Amino acid sequence: MRLLFAVAVAAFCIDQGSKVAVMYGMALLDRGVIDIWPPFLRFVMAWNRGVNFGVLASGSDIMRWALVTVSVAVSVGLVIWARRKSDRWFMAGAGLVVGGALGNALDRVIYGAVADFLNMSCCGLNNPYVFNVADIAIFAGAMILILLSGDEKKPAASA
């Protein structure tokens, strides 16, 4: 469990630290867009009031607090689930999801929306979507958990 909490704290701190550094340190809030390595990497200030890619973005306080509640509930659920596991990869994956979910939940509490700023494009394709470090942690953690889901021991069939 210590690994889960260590990874969660690291993901949370890197997410929140990157947001503070970019929004305030680099003044992205005022500038709106900063070309870092165009077209591959740009910082674009965006506020996500919904789930992924703005889905369910009603802008209402009810939705805001519902999404905070879901993030906390998923995090608690993963910690409870992890108590029955001993696999280090599972703990790391769960920690990434928990840290990312709580990072985005804190944004909703403080700002009313999730602060997104990473925009990446390549090879003539212009990506219109913006994301953050918490989203990367959630995606990576979920992929680890999905890949590990096939490792469960199946009960022997009775004859």
Side-chain angles (χ1 to χ4, degrees):
M1 289 298 284
R2 280 188 278 170
L3 179 61
L4 185 152
F5 289 116
V7 171
V9 167
F12 178 86
C13 290
I14 293 168
D15 172 63
Q16 291 298 305
S18 67
K19 289 172 184 171
V20 168
V22 171
M23 291 186 333
Y24 300 105
M26 297 177 73
L28 185 62
L29 287 172
D30 296 328
R31 296 169 67 181
V33 175
I34 301 172
D35 285 327
I36 302 298
W37 186 25
F40 302 109
L41 177 61
R42 300 172 71 211
F43 291 167
V44 178
M45 192 66 232
W47 295 102
N48 184 354
R49 298 191 187 313
V51 193
N52 283 2
F53 307 118
V55 174
L56 302 176
S58 69
S60 73
D61 263 356
I62 292 171
M63 183 56 74
R64 169 189 179 186
W65 293 108
L67 291 172
V68 168
T69 302
V70 167
S71 295
V72 171
V74 165
S75 298
V76 169
L78 274 173
V79 169
I80 291 169
W81 185 21
R83 294 181 81 190
R84 297 185 214 127
K85 300 284 190 178
S86 61
D87 183 81
R88 293 179 59 76
W89 281 105
F90 182 91
M91 294 297 176
L96 286 169
V97 174
V98 168
L102 294 179
N104 281 345
L106 182 61
D107 283 5
R108 290 183 196 287
V109 170
I110 294 172
Y111 306 115
V114 173
D116 288 335
F117 64 90
L118 293 167
N119 175 257
M120 301 178 82
S121 296
C122 179
C123 313
L125 300 172
N126 188 17
N127 176 18
Y129 299 108
V130 184
F131 55 97
N132 61 38
V133 174
D135 297 335
I136 296 167
I138 293 167
F139 179 81
M143 290 306 299
I144 290 169
L145 296 177
I146 289 167
L147 291 172
L148 292 176
S149 69
D151 288 348
E152 298 290 326
K153 300 263 190 270
K154 305 280 191 264
S158 54

